[in-house]
Amino acid sequence: MADDIVKIKTIGVLTSGGDSPGMNAAIRAVARAAFHSNINVIGIKHGYYGLINDEFEKLDTHSVSNIIQRGGTTLKSARSEEFRTEEGRAKAAENLKKYEIDALVTIGGDGTFTGANKLSKEHGINVVGVPATIDNDIIGTDETIGYDTALNTALDAIDKIRDTADAHERMFLVEVMGRDTGFIALETGIASGAELALLPEELTHVDEVKEQLHDMLKQQRRSSLVVVAEGDETGGAMKLADNIKDDFSQYDVRVCILGHVQRGGAPTARDRVLASRLGAAAVNVLMEGHSEVMVGVVNNALKITPLRVAISKKKALDHTLIDLARVLR
Amino acid sequence: MADDIVKIKTIGVLTSGGDSPGMNAAIRAVARAAFHSNINVIGIKHGYYGLINDEFEKLDTHSVSNIIQRGGTTLKSARSEEFRTEEGRAKAAENLKKYEIDALVTIGGDGTFTGANKLSKEHGINVVGVPATIDNDIIGTDETIGYDTALNTALDAIDKIRDTADAHERMFLVEVMGRDTGFIALETGIASGAELALLPEELTHVDEVKEQLHDMLKQQRRSSLVVVAEGDETGGAMKLADNIKDDFSQYDVRVCILGHVQRGGAPTARDRVLASRLGAAAVNVLMEGHSEVMVGVVNNALKITPLRVAISKKKALDHTLIDLARVLR
Amino acid sequence: MADDIVKIKTIGVLTSGGDSPGMNAAIRAVARAAFHSNINVIGIKHGYYGLINDEFEKLDTHSVSNIIQRGGTTLKSARSEEFRTEEGRAKAAENLKKYEIDALVTIGGDGTFTGANKLSKEHGINVVGVPATIDNDIIGTDETIGYDTALNTALDAIDKIRDTADAHERMFLVEVMGRDTGFIALETGIASGAELALLPEELTHVDEVKEQLHDMLKQQRRSSLVVVAEGDETGGAMKLADNIKDDFSQYDVRVCILGHVQRGGAPTARDRVLASRLGAAAVNVLMEGHSEVMVGVVNNALKITPLRVAISKKKALDHTLIDLARVLR
Amino acid sequence: MADDIVKIKTIGVLTSGGDSPGMNAAIRAVARAAFHSNINVIGIKHGYYGLINDEFEKLDTHSVSNIIQRGGTTLKSARSEEFRTEEGRAKAAENLKKYEIDALVTIGGDGTFTGANKLSKEHGINVVGVPATIDNDIIGTDETIGYDTALNTALDAIDKIRDTADAHERMFLVEVMGRDTGFIALETGIASGAELALLPEELTHVDEVKEQLHDMLKQQRRSSLVVVAEGDETGGAMKLADNIKDDFSQYDVRVCILGHVQRGGAPTARDRVLASRLGAAAVNVLMEGHSEVMVGVVNNALKITPLRVAISKKKALDHTLIDLARVLR
């Protein structure tokens, strides 16, 4: 890594893996920051699939205007089995050279970063990762792009379910996304005033769940709402319902699986600002000569983390929040 | 039925059956319209269950203020097996007499009206029904209270799913509510620009569905979105996915079941105005001496329909909209 | 006007005047319905300005996909002083002939229709109008495209203002759009539970307003919220505040002018379905040989109204709603 | 200050100053955390006004249930001139003693904290402050309760204005709240992709503003959107419009003042979690023997700041964000 400014003429940018709200804001920030330093930008469609299959298009200032507020990704995303092979990555590297792309910004999650790291190691391509996933499971950044929006989308849905739960004095098991992490479940649990939040990071004993629910129902609560992380070892809301509904038959236990709704929608202010910071930072660190790193924001300051570190483990939940949920419910 | 104004001193009001957004606006309108004519109002909690079990509380102008915008129902709703029996209804009638309630406004759907009709027939209680259900399946009114809100909630969710469908060029099967009717599916299908909407009112052949989807995918659509009514004879989105996913394996077919989210949330302007009109109308028709009727709005004018007619059949879909969906997709 | 199907090869479509949510859904419907009948569609940018200045572009099925949910208008809108002149309209007609456009669909309000009517009269161009304005002031249709969305946007804002009004027990004067009509003010007034709604259609005496507010405040209301139509003869919320604030100094009278926020945003389900119906209907009536007409929906059925009638007077408010507002407040 | 746990039997809680979304979540957290430690909670209505005028009411677990999602404050807020006097504060202290309240949690901004500090100094009342204001101008916490919600409400409005600005290629000056600070203006400016954001913290030269706008308009932007902080020394959006509109007459310069809408609405996930953390922390620090302090979250960890420090100066803007706005616009 060098201290001097590195001459970069052309940057490529792509989104890969599961989409998350704010990816467009990140694309825009990469492009605008690059243009600000007189760097060309080429958008690569469909992630690594397009990198291999030559789906390159030059971006200008208009191609990224009026996209900051859009969900999804204008560059599209896709899976690419071929990129998992050395041959696939060799083709990708060839295309990058053909278009004289000096560095690549990859927007996505850990799978995206694993691929970027290999591409760099094998072909000397300068790469920087921008963490964007609703799961918030990437270390090296306090939040990932899309997490705040997904949180609010899930919360808005849970508020609506609370309306109907209250009206009928029912029990609802609401399953939220987050793969094998409980970030969305924990924070929506606190923010919705849920009776319980079941997290993959904590061992869930169905018997204890039943007991806790019985205790709370004795306090004459009008309804019960349990947030279940999709990765919880109970197997999700549907399976949990099968296991407990006989014990709570008077409450007419219902299940809601919020699903892909959580991936879409206009990004929140927070996600757009984060995406703007990280997109611009990605260009800056490339100009500073970094590669094989991820940009993040930790304690309100920019942080650069080696990609191999970023993909080495999952981010842990904040245990003070787990305790808080117990005190306030 | 009399032409003169009938002396009514006290009205009871309850919500029953599945809750729908706007029920609180209807409760408020019943109360405010009654107060305006110097009539007392008693709220009965938990629908027919509370009617039998003496959950009565006097309402004043403050008890209904600041509820017009709330989802759910402040009077709660519940099922009552007992009310389906003659004994149950006899107890209910006794309570109504005990509190000197001259007439009862029941806010709900066809099950609610069936019960109200029996109560009136057996015990001479004056009853009027206010149609409130997200399913929109009641004849005698162009729309039921809650339908417009449910429509917009479902549409908002489908817009978000479209974001992620587009980003990944995937196929999504989205299941919406509506019991055995397709109102929500048809209108959200049109409004979301869905590729197809599968309705209980129309015979769905899975082979035709596959063919139509194949045809549309040949036109290089970026994604496919099929709205499936929960009552469609294909058995819902999950079952349909099982039947078609092998034929569309390249599109990574996904299922979203929107579920109870559609029942909650702040009611739309339209639902609040409709609930306000119908709640006030319910008081007026009781004062005019009507009973065993439902109030509705047809062609922008108030309409009074006998309860036995209202519960005799389901409302039919507007076939011009079914044709429109075909032309525009 | 002919009964037979008229051979139309190419249709032009434009949006003009103030934009309203759902214009994109209408553009899409015009295009899709035309394609369904093998008719070409040319989009004209910037309304009549672009018609004169040759801003024509051919639309295909992709150019209107994924726009149904967008606010604003992808065809843009603009004012054109030149189109008010005979010379301007002559140029416009020439362009239409140059591109072999057989008929023109104009989406907008009364100003738009006035222009369309003149173009047709002077140059024999077949025109049909699609009513789109948030003001809802066009006769020949129960609702105009954009009205329902504007209503809900305004209502959502008023709900938020009610939160803060209640917290502080303040009086708020909220000004809503609608030009010289009170549709938005009346319906948001009812739907928000406003203490008063001041409408251009009704004479407002400031002394009476004061008296009514004093009466209501004596009932120990937690807050007062007055919705003021921008066209009310009191001169709008700011002026009214100047006139009454000394009489209500203990309530810390505040003013909110909702403004252009009411014109934007994703259209509601209702506006998208209406726009879809009217856009498709516009193509159909042109194929049936009509011209100089507006398409509308009255009592849930399509209605064709001569443009000269549509622009001859403003739609009147529903007086039963004015009475309802008085009873329920 | 002591290390041991202090015996607290009863806590009082109030909200004061301008209301902000999340105050109810904070009230709930104070109450629930207190109950968890077997402490009684008395809610004081109307802030310091109620403290002097004996508006005390005991809270139980039900009085704070289902309020976490509500805007405004269930305890109401008010101004109190009397509390600014020694006599007023003496009455307040007397009431606190009468109800045997050991400690007081005050939820609000700097004015609230100033009062609390005096009350403690003069009468030995244990007080802790919870920072809640949409302005985000309190040091000792990265964010104040309500800021994130206000940000998203303003952003949502600006997105809608962008729709109509784009449709008409107009220039809009949008005024956002924040009193004499530019937090909301800066972050909504970045998040909306505004052409400019005018902040009280930075000297604004109208001539430079004009020049920058002219430069940007030369790049063929479809519209211009300038976010103006209400405290900007240009005097706000209306005054700025008067100063520049002649130079941009072809763009039909429009003004929107978002106003009190920004204070209401359901709090975001972030604000609810923050309010939950700080409300619970307030109880904890009182139990630890602290007084005359404010609780905050800095770098994701709880931080305790003496009230006199918290009120000594305004929080500064993050200058990296100001630079970012310049690069990305």
Side-chain angles (χ1 to χ4, degrees):
Chain A
M1 295 178 204
D3 284 307
D4 320 64
I5 290 289
V6 177
K7 261 271 149 44
I8 291 185
K9 280 194 188 154
T10 303
I11 278 178
V13 58
L14 60 79
T15 52
S16 168
D19 65 317
S20 74
M23 280 186 158
N24 283 324
I27 294 167
R28 172 185 179 270
V30 169
R32 291 276 168 94
F35 300 151
H36 193 257
S37 293
N38 296 311
I39 295 171
N40 297 315
V41 181
I42 289 177
I44 296 138
K45 290 245 170 169
H46 298 109
Y48 294 134
Y49 176 90
L51 199 59
I52 294 174
N53 293 287
D54 200 352
E55 299 189 38
F56 288 56
E57 61 177 37
K58 201 157 187 263
L59 302 183
D60 62 24
T61 194
H62 288 290
S63 37
V64 296
S65 78
N66 216 11
I67 67 168
I68 196 170
Q69 78 277 38
R70 304 265 180 252
T73 158
T74 50
L75 289 179
K76 311 292 172 187
S77 189
R79 288 185 184 165
S80 171
E81 285 306 315
E82 201 179 351
F83 195 74
R84 293 169 184 267
T85 67
E86 275 187 39
E87 295 73 30
R89 292 191 293 271
K91 275 196 215 169
E94 229 168 275
N95 280 330
L96 288 166
K97 278 158 201 166
K98 186 170 81 183
Y99 288 91
E100 299 185 328
I101 292 173
D102 304 306
L104 183 65
V105 179
T106 61
I107 304 168
D110 53 3
T112 305
F113 297 164
T114 302
N117 210 29
K118 284 188 182 155
L119 184 69
S120 176
K121 291 253 178 282
E122 294 168 6
H123 300 281
I125 310 286
N126 289 330
V127 295
V128 60
V130 173
T133 158
I134 66 164
D135 303 325
N136 198 32
D137 57 353
I138 310 285
I139 58 167
T141 192
D142 286 341
E143 282 182 32
T144 53
I145 297 166
Y147 172 61
D148 189 58
T149 305
L151 211 51
N152 281 290
T153 301
L155 182 59
D156 184 53
I158 298 174
D159 281 353
K160 288 189 168 76
I161 293 170
R162 176 69 84 178
D163 281 347
T164 192
D166 253 24
H168 287 279
E169 302 179 350
R170 273 182 183 151
M171 182 181 297
F172 271 88
L173 310 181
V174 184
E175 185 175 306
V176 297
M177 281 190 162
R179 289 195 303 171
D180 49 353
T181 59
F183 287 94
I184 296 178
L186 176 56
E187 292 217 55
T188 57
I190 293 171
S192 67
E195 272 61 34
L196 284 176
L198 306 185
L199 315 169
E201 287 85 350
E202 299 237 294
L203 214 60
T204 306
H205 298 288
V206 174
D207 285 347
E208 280 176 28
V209 168
K210 286 183 195 174
E211 208 179 311
Q212 289 169 324
L213 286 171
H214 276 304
D215 283 357
M216 282 187 281
L217 288 165
K218 276 183 208 142
Q219 300 162 32
Q220 304 199 286
R221 305 216 166 200
R222 289 179 287 193
S223 58
S224 286
L225 209 146
V226 181
V227 177
V228 186
E230 62 178 344
D232 189 62
E233 76 277 8
T234 48
M238 201 74 90
K239 218 165 163 185
L240 181 67
D242 287 343
N243 282 328
I244 72 168
K245 69 183 169 193
D246 291 343
D247 294 73
F248 299 92
S249 52
Q250 74 277 35
Y251 289 97
D252 197 8
V253 178
R254 299 290 172 107
V255 170
C256 277
I257 296 171
L258 297 186
H260 279 77
V261 174
Q262 296 163 85
R263 294 202 170 276
T268 59
R270 188 165 187 80
D271 269 330
R272 297 191 207 178
V273 172
L274 178 64
S276 297
R277 290 178 80 172
L278 296 184
V283 174
N284 288 340
V285 301
L286 285 171
M287 288 171 69
E288 289 168 4
H290 292 281
S291 182
E292 294 179 25
V293 296
M294 184 195 90
V295 287
V297 169
V298 172
N299 292 345
N300 300 313
L302 196 73
K303 178 161 180 173
I304 298 170
T305 302
L307 281 179
R308 72 182 152 71
V309 175
I311 60 184
S312 65
K313 57 174 176 177
K314 294 276 170 192
K315 186 158 62 181
L317 288 181
D318 179 348
H319 272 263
T320 66
L321 288 184
I322 297 179
D323 296 339
L324 181 66
R326 283 204 189 96
V327 169
L328 298 186
R329 77 193 172 200
Chain B
M1 294 178 204
D3 285 307
D4 320 65
I5 291 290
V6 177
K7 261 269 147 45
I8 290 184
K9 280 194 188 155
T10 303
I11 278 177
V13 58
L14 59 79
T15 51
S16 169
D19 65 316
S20 73
M23 280 185 158
N24 283 323
I27 295 166
R28 172 185 179 272
V30 169
R32 290 276 169 94
F35 300 153
H36 192 258
S37 295
N38 296 310
I39 296 171
N40 296 315
V41 181
I42 288 178
I44 295 137
K45 291 245 170 168
H46 298 110
Y48 294 133
Y49 177 90
L51 198 59
I52 293 174
N53 292 286
D54 200 354
E55 298 189 39
F56 289 56
E57 61 177 37
K58 201 159 186 261
L59 302 182
D60 62 22
T61 193
H62 288 290
S63 38
V64 296
S65 78
N66 217 11
I67 66 168
I68 197 171
Q69 78 277 38
R70 304 268 181 250
T73 159
T74 51
L75 289 179
K76 310 294 171 188
S77 189
R79 289 185 185 166
S80 172
E81 285 306 316
E82 203 179 349
F83 195 74
R84 294 169 185 265
T85 67
E86 274 186 40
E87 296 72 31
R89 291 191 294 271
K91 274 196 217 171
E94 229 168 276
N95 279 330
L96 287 166
K97 277 156 202 168
K98 186 169 82 183
Y99 287 92
E100 300 185 329
I101 292 173
D102 304 306
L104 183 65
V105 179
T106 60
I107 303 168
D110 53 2
T112 305
F113 297 163
T114 303
N117 209 30
K118 285 188 182 157
L119 184 69
S120 177
K121 291 252 178 284
E122 294 168 5
H123 301 282
I125 311 285
N126 288 330
V127 295
V128 60
V130 173
T133 160
I134 65 165
D135 303 326
N136 197 32
D137 57 352
I138 310 286
I139 58 167
T141 192
D142 285 341
E143 282 182 33
T144 53
I145 298 167
Y147 173 61
D148 189 58
T149 306
L151 212 51
N152 281 289
T153 301
L155 182 59
D156 185 53
I158 297 173
D159 281 354
K160 289 188 166 76
I161 293 169
R162 176 69 84 177
D163 281 347
T164 190
D166 253 24
H168 288 279
E169 301 178 352
R170 272 180 185 153
M171 183 181 296
F172 271 88
L173 310 181
V174 184
E175 184 175 307
V176 297
M177 281 190 163
R179 290 195 302 171
D180 48 354
T181 57
F183 288 95
I184 296 179
L186 176 57
E187 292 217 55
T188 57
I190 293 171
S192 67
E195 271 62 32
L196 284 177
L198 306 186
L199 315 170
E201 287 86 349
E202 299 237 293
L203 214 61
T204 307
H205 297 289
V206 174
D207 284 348
E208 280 176 27
V209 169
K210 286 184 194 174
E211 206 179 312
Q212 288 169 324
L213 287 171
H214 276 303
D215 283 356
M216 282 186 282
L217 289 165
K218 276 184 208 143
Q219 299 162 31
Q220 304 198 288
R221 306 220 165 199
R222 289 179 287 191
S223 58
S224 286
L225 210 147
V226 180
V227 177
V228 185
E230 63 179 343
D232 189 63
E233 76 277 8
T234 49
M238 200 74 89
K239 216 163 165 187
L240 181 67
D242 287 342
N243 282 329
I244 71 169
K245 68 184 171 193
D246 291 343
D247 295 73
F248 299 92
S249 53
Q250 75 277 36
Y251 289 99
D252 198 6
V253 178
R254 299 290 173 107
V255 170
C256 276
I257 296 171
L258 297 186
H260 279 76
V261 174
Q262 296 163 86
R263 294 201 170 277
T268 58
R270 188 165 187 80
D271 269 330
R272 297 191 207 178
V273 172
L274 178 65
S276 297
R277 290 178 80 172
L278 296 185
V283 174
N284 288 340
V285 300
L286 285 170
M287 288 172 69
E288 289 169 2
H290 292 281
S291 181
E292 296 179 24
V293 296
M294 184 195 92
V295 288
V297 170
V298 172
N299 290 346
N300 300 313
L302 194 73
K303 177 162 181 174
I304 299 170
T305 303
L307 281 179
R308 72 184 152 69
V309 175
I311 59 185
S312 64
K313 57 175 177 178
K314 295 276 170 192
K315 187 159 61 183
L317 289 181
D318 180 348
H319 272 262
T320 64
L321 288 185
I322 298 180
D323 296 340
L324 182 66
R326 284 207 189 94
V327 169
L328 298 186
R329 76 195 174 198
Chain C
M1 295 177 203
D3 284 307
D4 320 65
I5 291 290
V6 177
K7 262 272 149 45
I8 291 185
K9 280 194 188 153
T10 303
I11 278 177
V13 58
L14 59 79
T15 53
S16 168
D19 64 318
S20 74
M23 279 185 158
N24 283 323
I27 295 166
R28 173 185 178 271
V30 169
R32 290 276 168 94
F35 300 153
H36 192 258
S37 295
N38 295 311
I39 295 171
N40 297 315
V41 181
I42 289 178
I44 296 138
K45 290 244 170 170
H46 298 109
Y48 294 133
Y49 177 90
L51 198 59
I52 294 174
N53 293 286
D54 199 351
E55 299 189 39
F56 289 56
E57 61 176 36
K58 201 160 186 260
L59 302 183
D60 61 24
T61 194
H62 288 289
S63 38
V64 297
S65 78
N66 217 9
I67 67 169
I68 196 170
Q69 79 276 38
R70 305 268 180 249
T73 158
T74 50
L75 289 179
K76 312 292 173 191
S77 189
R79 288 185 186 165
S80 171
E81 285 306 315
E82 202 179 350
F83 195 74
R84 293 169 185 267
T85 67
E86 276 186 40
E87 296 73 31
R89 292 191 293 272
K91 274 197 217 170
E94 229 168 274
N95 280 329
L96 287 166
K97 278 158 201 166
K98 186 170 79 182
Y99 288 92
E100 300 185 328
I101 292 174
D102 304 306
L104 183 65
V105 179
T106 61
I107 304 168
D110 53 2
T112 304
F113 297 163
T114 303
N117 209 28
K118 284 189 182 155
L119 184 69
S120 176
K121 291 252 178 282
E122 294 168 6
H123 301 282
I125 310 286
N126 289 330
V127 295
V128 60
V130 173
T133 159
I134 65 164
D135 303 326
N136 198 31
D137 57 353
I138 309 286
I139 58 167
T141 192
D142 286 340
E143 282 182 33
T144 53
I145 297 166
Y147 173 60
D148 189 59
T149 305
L151 211 51
N152 280 290
T153 301
L155 182 59
D156 185 53
I158 297 173
D159 282 353
K160 288 189 167 77
I161 293 169
R162 176 69 84 177
D163 282 345
T164 191
D166 252 23
H168 288 278
E169 301 177 353
R170 273 183 184 151
M171 183 181 297
F172 271 88
L173 309 180
V174 184
E175 184 176 307
V176 297
M177 281 190 162
R179 290 195 302 171
D180 49 353
T181 58
F183 288 94
I184 295 179
L186 175 56
E187 293 216 55
T188 57
I190 293 171
S192 68
E195 273 61 33
L196 284 177
L198 307 185
L199 314 170
E201 287 86 349
E202 300 237 293
L203 214 59
T204 306
H205 298 288
V206 174
D207 285 347
E208 279 176 29
V209 168
K210 286 183 195 174
E211 206 178 312
Q212 289 169 324
L213 286 171
H214 275 304
D215 283 356
M216 282 186 281
L217 287 165
K218 277 184 208 143
Q219 299 161 32
Q220 305 199 284
R221 305 218 166 200
R222 291 179 287 192
S223 58
S224 286
L225 210 146
V226 180
V227 177
V228 185
E230 63 178 344
D232 190 63
E233 75 278 7
T234 49
M238 201 74 90
K239 218 165 165 186
L240 181 67
D242 287 343
N243 282 329
I244 72 168
K245 69 183 169 194
D246 291 343
D247 295 74
F248 299 92
S249 54
Q250 74 277 34
Y251 290 98
D252 197 8
V253 178
R254 300 289 173 107
V255 169
C256 276
I257 296 171
L258 297 186
H260 279 76
V261 174
Q262 296 163 85
R263 294 200 170 278
T268 58
R270 187 164 187 82
D271 269 330
R272 297 192 206 177
V273 172
L274 179 64
S276 297
R277 289 178 80 172
L278 295 185
V283 174
N284 288 340
V285 301
L286 285 171
M287 288 171 69
E288 289 168 3
H290 292 281
S291 181
E292 294 179 26
V293 295
M294 184 195 91
V295 287
V297 170
V298 172
N299 291 345
N300 300 314
L302 194 74
K303 178 161 179 175
I304 299 170
T305 303
L307 282 179
R308 73 183 153 69
V309 175
I311 60 186
S312 65
K313 57 174 176 179
K314 295 276 170 194
K315 186 159 62 183
L317 287 182
D318 179 347
H319 272 262
T320 65
L321 288 185
I322 298 179
D323 296 339
L324 182 67
R326 284 206 188 96
V327 169
L328 298 187
R329 75 192 174 202
Chain D
M1 294 179 206
D3 285 308
D4 320 64
I5 291 291
V6 176
K7 261 270 148 44
I8 290 184
K9 280 195 189 151
T10 303
I11 279 178
V13 57
L14 61 79
T15 52
S16 170
D19 65 317
S20 74
M23 280 186 158
N24 283 323
I27 295 166
R28 172 185 179 271
V30 169
R32 290 277 169 93
F35 300 152
H36 193 258
S37 295
N38 296 311
I39 296 172
N40 296 315
V41 181
I42 289 178
I44 296 137
K45 290 245 172 170
H46 298 109
Y48 294 134
Y49 176 90
L51 199 59
I52 293 175
N53 293 287
D54 200 353
E55 299 190 38
F56 288 55
E57 61 176 38
K58 200 158 187 261
L59 301 183
D60 61 24
T61 194
H62 288 290
S63 38
V64 296
S65 77
N66 216 11
I67 67 169
I68 196 170
Q69 79 276 38
R70 305 266 180 251
T73 157
T74 51
L75 289 178
K76 311 292 171 189
S77 189
R79 288 185 185 166
S80 170
E81 285 306 314
E82 204 179 349
F83 196 74
R84 294 170 185 267
T85 68
E86 275 187 40
E87 296 72 32
R89 292 191 294 271
K91 274 197 216 170
E94 228 168 277
N95 279 331
L96 287 166
K97 277 158 202 167
K98 186 168 80 182
Y99 287 92
E100 300 186 327
I101 293 173
D102 304 306
L104 183 65
V105 179
T106 61
I107 304 168
D110 54 2
T112 305
F113 297 164
T114 303
N117 209 29
K118 285 188 181 155
L119 184 70
S120 176
K121 291 253 178 284
E122 294 168 7
H123 301 281
I125 311 286
N126 289 329
V127 295
V128 60
V130 173
T133 160
I134 66 163
D135 303 326
N136 198 30
D137 57 353
I138 310 286
I139 58 167
T141 192
D142 286 341
E143 282 181 33
T144 53
I145 297 167
Y147 172 61
D148 189 57
T149 306
L151 211 52
N152 281 289
T153 301
L155 182 58
D156 185 53
I158 298 173
D159 281 354
K160 288 189 168 75
I161 294 169
R162 177 70 84 177
D163 281 347
T164 190
D166 253 25
H168 288 279
E169 301 178 353
R170 273 181 183 153
M171 183 181 296
F172 271 89
L173 309 181
V174 184
E175 183 176 307
V176 297
M177 281 190 161
R179 290 195 302 171
D180 49 353
T181 57
F183 288 95
I184 296 178
L186 176 56
E187 293 217 55
T188 57
I190 293 171
S192 67
E195 271 63 31
L196 283 177
L198 307 185
L199 315 170
E201 287 86 349
E202 301 236 293
L203 214 60
T204 307
H205 297 289
V206 174
D207 285 347
E208 280 176 28
V209 169
K210 286 183 195 174
E211 207 178 311
Q212 289 169 324
L213 286 171
H214 276 303
D215 283 356
M216 282 186 283
L217 288 165
K218 275 183 209 142
Q219 300 161 32
Q220 303 199 285
R221 305 218 166 200
R222 288 179 288 191
S223 58
S224 286
L225 210 146
V226 180
V227 177
V228 185
E230 63 178 344
D232 189 63
E233 77 277 8
T234 48
M238 201 74 89
K239 218 165 163 184
L240 182 67
D242 287 342
N243 282 329
I244 72 169
K245 68 184 171 194
D246 291 343
D247 295 72
F248 299 92
S249 53
Q250 74 277 35
Y251 290 99
D252 197 8
V253 178
R254 300 289 173 107
V255 170
C256 276
I257 296 171
L258 297 187
H260 279 77
V261 174
Q262 296 163 86
R263 294 201 170 277
T268 58
R270 188 165 187 80
D271 269 330
R272 297 192 207 178
V273 172
L274 178 64
S276 297
R277 290 177 79 171
L278 295 184
V283 174
N284 289 340
V285 300
L286 285 170
M287 289 171 68
E288 289 168 4
H290 292 281
S291 181
E292 295 179 24
V293 296
M294 184 196 89
V295 287
V297 169
V298 172
N299 291 346
N300 300 313
L302 195 73
K303 178 161 180 174
I304 299 170
T305 303
L307 281 178
R308 73 184 150 69
V309 175
I311 60 185
S312 64
K313 57 174 177 179
K314 294 277 170 192
K315 186 159 62 183
L317 288 182
D318 179 348
H319 272 263
T320 64
L321 288 185
I322 298 180
D323 297 339
L324 182 66
R326 283 204 190 96
V327 169
L328 299 186
R329 78 194 171 198

